[in-house]
Amino acid sequence: MTTSTIHSSLVRRTMGALLMLTGAVAISVSSALAQTPAVGSRVPDFTLNTPVGAPVRLSKELGRSMTTVLIILRGFPGYQCPYCQKQIHDLIEHDADFAAKKANVLLVYPGPPADLDKRAQEGLAKQANLPENISLVIDPDYTVTKLYGLRWDAPHETAYPSTFILDRTGKVLYKKISHSHGDRISAEEVLAKIP
């Protein structure tokens, strides 16, 4: 091998390593910079699937009603969260009240990817079919949880339970981020905050 060939090979390997390092830094910086949408800001759009595989796009949900209530559940941290189940069933019991306010509810169920669809369905065990104005989607790779800056990255945790009330354009009218399991907003409290 000539000196110039060795030099060229060394330069290529060094550049490749720098590019990989730069990419890794960019990925970790972009994850660290994920911000929870503020009141008055517009939320990022996303598409997630229902437990049976039907895609649901947030922007399309926003067009269905005057108001969309977006709820990030704690989901499946290795067991069924009793607070999530209670919150889901509270919302279902008030589906007619949400319909009267021209509001739909979109529930995001995060957790580890393995069997998350089955876990989400188990979370609805008491409710075979959701009302027309309430949808449940799964977030198996924490895509939306991270996008919204809500990843509760600790053992046996998934996401900070959160509620956003959105207008038709995706602007946040109200938000509540919980940093404990049981600190959830009730359906009646949500209904009182819908304009």
Side-chain angles (χ1 to χ4, degrees), residues 21-75:
L21 179 61
T22 303
V25 170
I27 289 168
S28 84
V29 167
S30 67
S31 296
L33 294 177
Q35 294 290 318
T36 303
V39 172
S41 69
R42 293 213 177 358
V43 295
D45 198 12
F46 62 82
T47 300
L48 292 174
N49 291 330
T50 66
V52 296
V56 175
R57 186 171 185 91
L58 175 62
S59 55
K60 194 169 184 180
E61 289 295 300
L62 294 171
R64 287 181 47 203
S65 297
M66 294 303 293
T67 307
T68 296
V69 180
L70 174 64
I71 296 182
I72 312 294
L73 298 163
R74 187 163 165 248

Side-chain angles (χ1 to χ4, degrees), residues 15 21 45 51 54 66-67 80 107 125 130 148 150 160 164 184 191:
M15 291 302 291
L21 179 61
D45 198 12
M66 294 303 293
T67 307
Q80 285 300 338
L107 303 164
L130 288 172
Y148 280 56
L150 297 171
Y160 293 110
F164 298 88
R184 310 293 178 98
L191 286 160

Side-chain angles (χ1 to χ4, degrees), residues 131-189:
E132 188 176 312
N133 60 331
I134 299 178
S135 302
L136 174 72
V137 294
I138 57 174
D139 188 11
D141 294 318
Y142 304 105
T143 306
V144 170
T145 304
K146 290 177 185 173
L147 178 67
Y148 280 56
L150 297 171
R151 179 73 167 99
W152 190 348
D153 200 4
H156 308 293
E157 300 301 346
T158 58
Y160 293 110
S162 305
T163 301
F164 298 88
I165 299 175
L166 310 172
D167 71 8
R168 290 184 80 125
T169 68
K171 184 170 89 174
V172 179
L173 304 174
Y174 169 85
K175 79 172 186 178
K176 176 181 173 77
I177 312 301
S178 300
H179 292 275
S180 68
H181 300 159
D183 182 26
R184 310 293 178 98
I185 189 167
S186 72
E188 288 182 353
E189 291 171 305

